[in-house]
Amino acid sequence: MTDDAHRFTRMYDESRQRVWAYVVSRAGRQVADEVVSETFAIAWRRLDDVPEPALPWLLGVARNVLRDNVRAEVRRDALTAELRAWTEGDVADEVAERLGVLRALTVLPEDDREILVLVAWHGLSPKEGAQVVGCSSAAFRVRLHRARKRLERAMEAAEPVTSPIPHVRNLSEEWS
């Protein structure tokens, strides 16, 4: 195997799942495989341009692929549907607080969700996040601060999540 092939294979193995998760968080599962494939095809063609660490660069490429291939309205609808599915699934059975966060995320603007997901779920630093969205580190920090404040307000305004398990009536009491 050539050095380029070895480098690409290592980069792919280390980053594919995180790039896929990023795409799912932006556009849903329906387009994730296609966008990830295109992202790594671009990475292969431009391997000399890929910096170390590669993840922020790859996420930036994935972001551009999404922007070029999917209209903003379709992405927003798919993400909202995905977040709603998460709140109705296994997460709701496990953690009520996470349910509240996910519900609050559905009402935030797409840009706020992206900033929060990059930091909280993908573990990027503000510098790396700034590279993904194409702004300065200072601007990213300001956007992150504002997004966190909007998330906090959305969580306060949302209905409280008292239990992730739906209320079941006690029919034996009603029949007696």
Side-chain angles (χ1 to χ4, degrees):
M1 190 177 333
T2 67
D3 287 342
D4 284 348
H6 179 61
R7 178 174 179 235
F8 179 82
T9 301
R10 183 179 50 79
M11 176 182 60
Y12 180 84
D13 290 342
E14 291 173 357
S15 304
R16 186 186 63 78
Q17 288 291 347
R18 292 180 74 184
V19 172
W20 188 85
Y22 171 77
V23 174
V24 168
S25 74
R26 296 275 298 160
R29 294 178 181 164
Q30 297 169 341
V31 298
D33 291 335
E34 180 181 328
V35 172
V36 170
S37 294
E38 179 65 21
T39 299
F40 280 99
I42 291 168
W44 175 251
R45 287 191 304 266
R46 298 185 52 201
L47 192 58
D48 291 339
D49 297 332
V50 179
E52 286 294 331
L55 183 62
W57 187 89
L58 290 167
L59 294 178
V61 171
R63 182 176 192 254
N64 290 336
V65 169
L66 280 171
R67 186 176 28 202
D68 292 344
N69 294 335
V70 183
R71 293 183 321 193
E73 190 63 35
V74 173
R75 285 194 321 254
R76 192 171 18 260
D77 291 345
L79 176 58
T80 300
E82 189 72 28
L83 289 174
R84 285 198 177 114
W86 290 348
T87 62
E88 296 168 1
D90 294 338
V91 174
D93 294 336
E94 295 174 19
V95 183
E97 184 177 343
R98 186 169 180 188
L99 176 64
V101 171
L102 291 172
R103 283 182 180 166
L105 280 172
T106 64
V107 300
L108 291 180
E110 182 179 350
D111 290 342
D112 285 352
R113 286 192 300 242
E114 180 182 23
I115 297 289
L116 293 166
V117 165
L118 286 171
V119 172
W121 288 347
H122 296 289
L124 296 186
S125 69
K127 181 180 178 183
E128 293 168 331
Q131 185 180 356
V132 172
V133 299
C135 67
S136 70
S137 294
F140 186 88
R141 282 186 177 89
V142 169
R143 291 180 189 177
L144 178 61
H145 174 75
R146 290 177 180 163
R148 285 176 173 158
K149 289 294 185 190
R150 283 189 279 270
L151 177 63
E152 187 177 308
R153 285 193 300 269
M155 290 177 65
E156 290 170 357
E159 292 181 24
V161 180
T162 56
S163 172
I165 301 170
H167 177 70
V168 178
R169 297 181 307 172
N170 186 343
L171 294 178
S172 63
E173 289 178 8
E174 290 182 18
W175 290 345
S176 43

